[in-house]
Amino acid sequence: MPTILFLSEACLFDRKSGAAQSVRAQLKALARAGWQAHALTMTLFDGQQEYPLAQVHPDLSPLPPVGSLWVQEDEGVTHTLYVTQSTVHQAVRPWALRAFLEVAQQSLTQLQPDVVLTYSSPMLQPLLAQAQQQGARTVFYLANPAYASAGPWPFRFVDTFLLPSQALVDLYRKRLAQPSGVLLALDGPDALGAPPESGVAEVAQPGQPDF
């Protein structure tokens, strides 16, 4: 049974984030298809205002101890949340980020995932490097068109780029001609775990394995 692990500082229960909702749906689809699906995040949400965690789950009000891990099953997906003092990204403390990285490193070692999925910051690059060293395929969900313009390519330790639409695939096709990797476009709720002929438009360099 294949295993996928999503890693990010940003919580997938963020209802204001389209990327979070899309990835959460993909993990559920993989769980239904027989994958072991896990997500490890912090309790960080989009926006400058505190997010009402009680809307995520009643057990998060009152807030569990800062630095603890809160685990919740969501339609076959195991979500582990590292509890932070604030839900605002800019307010997170450096020690909390370091502690989260340590938890993530332990999760990679324990789970030995086949696929590691993220859409997060460069801070997680050491985790992607560790995943590759363990033999996992690293996948970056690239929903932002801004990186298609010229400039330094910010992505390292990424095998596959997953995009939410064929339009973004076309936009990034030329940009991704230089970095190595496979480019996939979601074209249905189960596309992440489907073969290319079953809902995924694929652009791959020669010799790259299918995701």
Side-chain angles (χ1 to χ4, degrees), residues 118-192:
T118 189
Y119 54 54
S120 203
S121 70
M123 184 193 78
L124 299 192
Q125 287 183 355
L127 300 178
L128 298 181
Q130 177 183 342
Q132 287 185 334
Q133 291 170 356
Q134 293 180 188
R137 170 169 288 276
T138 55
V139 182
F140 195 100
Y141 182 66
L142 187 55
N144 188 343
Y147 296 112
S149 60
W153 186 246
F155 305 105
R156 300 179 62 198
F157 311 113
V158 175
D159 298 313
T160 301
F161 294 92
L162 189 67
L163 292 90
S165 69
Q166 184 61 47
L168 276 181
V169 167
D170 295 338
L171 182 65
Y172 274 100
R173 191 184 303 269
K174 183 177 180 180
R175 181 67 165 127
L176 286 177
Q178 296 303 319
S180 61
V182 178
L183 182 59
L184 301 174
L186 294 181
D187 193 27
D190 298 323
L192 188 59

Side-chain angles (χ1 to χ4, degrees), residues 48-187:
Q48 300 300 316
Q49 304 297 322
E50 292 293 331
Y51 195 93
L53 289 178
Q55 293 183 9
V56 174
H57 196 278
D59 288 350
L60 289 174
S61 181
L63 188 70
V66 172
S68 65
L69 298 177
W70 182 78
V71 181
Q72 176 67 26
E73 295 290 327
D74 179 36
E75 297 184 30
V77 181
T78 302
H79 290 263
T80 303
L81 278 62
Y82 179 92
V83 179
T84 55
Q85 182 69 46
S86 170
T87 65
V88 179
H89 282 260
Q90 290 79 359
V92 67
R93 304 294 179 85
W95 63 262
L97 292 172
R98 290 193 297 269
F100 174 74
L101 287 176
E102 292 178 2
V103 172
Q105 290 168 347
Q106 294 169 6
S107 295
L108 284 169
T109 300
Q110 293 170 0
L111 291 174
Q112 292 290 314
D114 301 282
V115 175
V116 173
L117 173 65
T118 189
Y119 54 54
S120 203
S121 70
M123 184 193 78
L124 299 192
Q125 287 183 355
L127 300 178
L128 298 181
Q130 177 183 342
Q132 287 185 334
Q133 291 170 356
Q134 293 180 188
R137 170 169 288 276
T138 55
V139 182
F140 195 100
Y141 182 66
L142 187 55
N144 188 343
Y147 296 112
S149 60
W153 186 246
F155 305 105
R156 300 179 62 198
F157 311 113
V158 175
D159 298 313
T160 301
F161 294 92
L162 189 67
L163 292 90
S165 69
Q166 184 61 47
L168 276 181
V169 167
D170 295 338
L171 182 65
Y172 274 100
R173 191 184 303 269
K174 183 177 180 180
R175 181 67 165 127
L176 286 177
Q178 296 303 319
S180 61
V182 178
L183 182 59
L184 301 174
L186 294 181
D187 193 27

Side-chain angles (χ1 to χ4, degrees), residues 32-58:
R32 291 194 298 270
W35 287 56
Q36 290 186 353
H38 299 263
L40 174 62
T41 70
M42 305 177 83
T43 51
L44 298 178
F45 294 73
D46 286 353
Q48 300 300 316
Q49 304 297 322
E50 292 293 331
Y51 195 93
L53 289 178
Q55 293 183 9
V56 174
H57 196 278

